[in-house]
Amino acid sequence: MENFSFHNPTRLHFGRGQIAKLAQELPATARVLLLAGGGSIRQNGVYDQVMAALGKRTVVEFFGVEANPDFDTLMRAVELCRREKIDWILPVGGGSVLDGSKFVAAAVRYAGDPWQILEQRLSALPHSLPIGAVLTLPATGSEANGAAVISRRATKEKLAFISPDVYPKFSILDPETTYSLPARQIANGIGDAFAHVVEQYLTYPADAAVQDRFAEGVMQTLIEVGPKTLAQPTDYAARSNLVWAATCALNGWIGVGVPQDWSTHMIGHELTALHDIDHARTLAIVLPSLLHVQRGTKGDKLLQYGARVWGITEGNREARIDAAIARTRAFYESIGIKTRLSDYGVSVDTAAEVARRLAARGMVKLGERGEITPATVEQILRLAA
Ligand code: NZQ
Ligand code: ZN
C-alpha cells in the first residue's frame, strides 16, 4: 500500500426524515441559495420538506440545473448569488445539481473567468462558499467528495475539477426521497457507482487488503440490491443499501493508498460531450472493451475480481478473464444499460475523434500505468462499436 493522508470533512445524515436536520445544520442567519434541477423535487415532496426545515431563513431559489450541468446555466446562478449576497449553497437533487453547486460555490468569489477553474483543474479554491447538500439520486458520490463535472454545451466540452474546498460541509441522504426515480435513473446510478469501484480497484495488486475487500463488498452489494430496487422501488432495505453503496463507492475510502485508473470516465465524458449519452451509459460502453484491451496490465486483478465478485474459479487464466469481462457486460445489460456504441446510434468514427480530443487535453497517458495512449483509446472504442 502506498502512503496516504485521508480527510473527508463531509458530515452525513442518513435515513428517513433526515431532511429536518437542515434546521440544525444551517445558521439561522444564513442567506441560502436553493439550487435544483428541472423540478423533480417539487413533485416528490422533497421541496416541501426542505422549505419546512429552513423555517424563516432567507432563501433564494434557482431551478433549471440540467443533467450534465451546463456552465452557462450555472453562471446565471453565480450572478444571482453575487446579487443576493448568498453565503450558503443548498443543492437539492442528483449529482448534476450537487456538482453544479460546487462550481457555483467556487465561482462566486473567483476573481478571473470561472471557466479557468475547469480548464486549469484548479484545486485550491479557498474562497468557496459553504455547501450543504440534499441528495435525491444515488450514483455519483458527489454528496461526499470534492469532485464536480461541468459541461459547456456551447463548446461541446465536459471537464472536471477536484478540490478539498468544495466538499459539502454536510449532506443529507434520505433513501425515501429516491423512490420517485424512474427506472432509467436508478439503473444509471447502479452502473455509475459500479464503475467508480472498478476504476479504483481493477488495476494491479497493491497489498491493500481492506480496500480490496471493501471494494468487492460494495460491488457485491450493488449486484444484489440493484436489481431488487429496480423490481421493488419502495423496498427500503434494498434502497437504503443502494444509497449507501453509491456513497461508499466514491467518498474516498476504497481509493486510499491504491493505484487508480479513471480512463473509463475520461473517455466517457467525451462521449457525453459529443453525443449527449447519459454518463453511466458511456461507462457501460467503454468499460468492457477497456478491460479487454488492458487485460495484460489488469490480469491479476481481473482474476481476483472474477473469483471474489462473480465466483469464477474454473478454466485457465485467459478463460477466467474473459468470463469476468463477460459478466461485467452482462451485469450492465441486465439492469437495462446497453453496452455498445451502435445501441446509441453512434458510429465507430467517434473513436478517432475521442482520441483526438483527449490528446488535445494532454490526456495521452491514461490508466494506472500511463499505458493508455490516444491510439489505445481509439482501439478501445473500435472494440465497443
Ligand atoms: O432535474 P430533476 O428534475 O431533478 O430530475 C433529475 C434528472 O432529470 C432526475 N432526478 C434526480 N433525483 C430524482 C429525479 N427524478 C425523480 N426522483 C428523484 N428523486 O434524474 C435526472 C438525472 O439527474 P442527474 O443529477 O443528472 O444524475 P446523476 O446523479 O447520475 O448525475 C450525473 C452527473 O454527475 C457527474 C456526471 O458526469 C453527470 O454530469 N458525475 C459526478 C461525479 C462526482 N461529483 O464525483 C462523479 C461521476 O463519475 C460523474 O462523472
Ligand atoms: Zn461516474
Side-chain angles (χ1 to χ4, degrees):
M1 203 184 326
E2 295 159 22
N3 294 353
F4 64 83
S5 304
F6 183 66
H7 174 66
N8 185 328
T10 304
R11 230 173 2 263
L12 296 177
H13 299 288
F14 185 97
R16 292 182 170 112
Q18 294 300 299
I19 290 176
K21 293 269 170 67
L22 282 173
Q24 70 191 49
E25 281 284 9
L26 288 167
T29 54
R31 293 181 63 81
V32 180
L33 178 82
L34 191 165
L35 195 70
S40 67
I41 64 167
R42 285 195 197 277
Q43 281 146 29
N44 59 13
V46 169
Y47 174 81
D48 293 339
Q49 287 186 57
V50 167
M51 293 311 278
L54 288 174
K56 294 196 166 67
R57 288 175 184 80
T58 304
V59 183
V60 176
E61 297 179 8
F62 187 98
F63 277 71
V65 177
E66 50 285 271
N68 305 308
D70 193 79
F71 173 77
D72 292 316
T73 305
L74 296 170
M75 282 308 294
R76 288 193 280 115
V78 169
E79 292 305 329
L80 184 62
C81 288
R82 289 174 178 159
R83 225 166 37 237
E84 297 287 344
K85 304 201 171 5
I86 294 298
D87 55 19
W88 269 87
I89 315 277
L90 176 66
V92 183
S96 293
V97 174
L98 269 64
D99 282 12
S101 77
K102 292 174 181 175
F103 174 76
V104 171
V108 170
R109 296 179 187 151
Y110 186 77
D113 171 6
W115 185 246
Q116 291 169 349
I117 296 169
L118 290 142
E119 218 168 26
Q120 299 173 17
R121 256 184 115 89
L122 299 185
S123 64
L125 297 161
H127 303 298
S128 299
L129 296 177
I131 297 168
V134 177
L135 180 79
T136 64
L137 197 173
T140 60
S142 190
E143 67 278 11
N145 68 38
V149 193
I150 306 299
S151 296
R152 193 168 190 175
R153 285 165 180 76
T155 51
K156 287 206 169 194
E157 285 172 286
K158 181 170 184 177
L159 299 178
F161 74 99
I162 302 176
S163 165
D165 299 319
V166 296
Y167 272 80
K169 301 289 178 217
F170 67 88
S171 286
I172 296 176
L173 299 91
D174 176 345
E176 290 189 335
T177 65
T178 73
Y179 284 173
S180 54
L181 282 166
R184 165 173 160 175
Q185 298 301 344
I186 299 172
N188 281 352
I190 298 163
D192 190 23
F194 195 85
H196 294 158
V197 181
V198 168
E199 299 248 59
Q200 298 165 89
Y201 164 86
L202 254 176
T203 56
Y204 52 83
D207 297 318
V210 173
Q211 294 89 323
D212 275 8
R213 298 272 185 202
F214 192 173
E216 289 152 2
V218 174
M219 287 189 281
Q220 287 174 310
T221 303
L222 291 167
I223 291 165
E224 189 180 313
V225 303
K228 248 189 217 169
T229 304
L230 283 165
Q232 298 284 346
T234 56
D235 176 339
Y236 186 81
R239 181 73 72 152
S240 53
N241 279 292
L242 174 58
V243 173
W244 188 232
T247 300
C248 291
L250 202 49
N251 68 348
W253 279 106
I254 64 172
V256 293
V258 300
Q260 303 192 9
D261 170 9
W262 287 96
S263 52
T264 297
H265 270 72
M266 294 305 114
I267 300 169
H269 289 168
E270 298 299 334
L271 290 175
T272 297
L274 285 168
H275 305 292
D276 200 23
I277 304 171
D278 290 355
H279 171 63
R281 287 162 201 262
T282 67
L283 307 176
I285 294 167
V286 177
L287 185 59
S289 299
L290 183 135
L291 294 178
H292 182 77
V293 170
Q294 294 300 98
R295 60 192 294 141
T297 297
K298 294 182 186 292
D300 291 341
K301 238 19 208 307
L302 275 164
L303 288 176
Q304 179 180 324
Y305 163 71
R308 293 193 189 171
V309 177
W310 297 109
I312 300 166
T313 51
E314 303 284 310
N316 64 28
R317 183 181 169 94
E318 296 310 317
R320 282 189 279 154
I321 290 175
D322 279 337
I325 297 171
R327 292 298 293 267
T328 309
R329 184 186 295 283
F331 176 59
Y332 278 98
E333 296 275 351
S334 77
I335 57 172
I337 299 186
K338 298 285 186 197
T339 59
R340 297 276 176 197
L341 283 170
S342 54
D343 293 321
Y344 300 88
V346 174
S347 134
V348 72
D349 297 343
T350 205
E353 172 66 1
V354 169
R356 192 193 60 71
R357 288 168 66 108
L358 287 174
R361 297 189 207 298
M363 295 192 200
V364 292
K365 287 182 177 179
L366 294 171
E368 64 272 23
R369 295 191 202 268
E371 288 174 343
I372 301 182
T373 64
T376 325
V377 169
E378 191 170 340
Q379 185 190 359
I380 290 164
L381 286 175
R382 287 194 173 282
L383 205 61

